[in-house]
Amino acid sequence: TFVVTDNCIRCKYTDCVEVCPVDCFYEGPNFLVINPDECIDCALCEPECPANAIFSEDEVPAGQEEFLAINEELSQVWPNITEKKDALPEHEKWDGVSGKLQYLER
Ligand code: SF4
Ligand code: F3S
């Protein structure tokens, strides 16, 4: 499966959702997640993310392993998203800032 990680938080560009052939992205207030049971590992979304926040589960950066469980958990409760929308207003300010998990809104 593929996993959305830290740099999506407070950016949420949503380019990723447009390319997913199985529509397995789910949307929270300031972050998206992938449902690991639905993802077919096509890898199409990874290069689409302007924030480089999407990784194969085998390549999640060190220190971000907890995003595996976060994607699994929140994809069960958040609504599906299939169409691109505007990025969050302060995406330029937050893109590239590390340690944004503390700002995750559920
Ligand atoms: Fe969707 Fe493919 Fe990305 Fe999985 S790897 S979330 S199936 S676009
Ligand atoms: Fe997030 Fe990147 Fe998608 S910032 S919303 S994973 S395009």
Side-chain angles (χ1 to χ4, degrees):
T1 188
F2 279 64
V3 183
V4 186
T5 63
D6 199 86
N7 204 34
C8 177
I9 296 170
R10 289 195 163 178
C11 291
K12 202 170 76 170
Y13 288 99
T14 73
D15 301 67
C16 54
V17 308
E18 294 258 290
V19 299
C20 181
V22 294
D23 294 342
C24 65
F25 282 90
Y26 294 80
E27 182 186 23
N30 65 4
F31 185 53
L32 290 195
V33 292
I34 292 168
N35 182 326
D37 297 325
E38 296 173 343
C39 174
I40 59 170
D41 277 329
C42 74
L44 288 175
C45 56
E46 185 175 13
E48 293 301 316
C49 177
N52 295 317
I54 304 176
F55 296 90
S56 166
E57 64 179 330
D58 304 327
E59 296 173 351
V60 169
Q64 297 202 46
E65 295 85 356
E66 59 192 308
F67 281 94
L68 284 155
I70 289 168
N71 278 244
E72 185 168 27
E73 177 195 343
L74 296 176
S75 63
Q76 303 299 320
V77 293
W78 283 350
N80 193 231
I81 173 173
T82 59
E83 291 183 9
K84 180 173 166 53
K85 56 170 71 172
D86 289 343
L88 290 174
E90 296 197 304
H91 64 93
E92 287 180 356
K93 172 181 157 189
W94 289 100
D95 190 346
V97 175
S98 60
K100 294 190 280 184
L101 184 53
Q102 61 185 308
Y103 306 120
L104 176 64
E105 296 172 34
R106 290 165 179 262

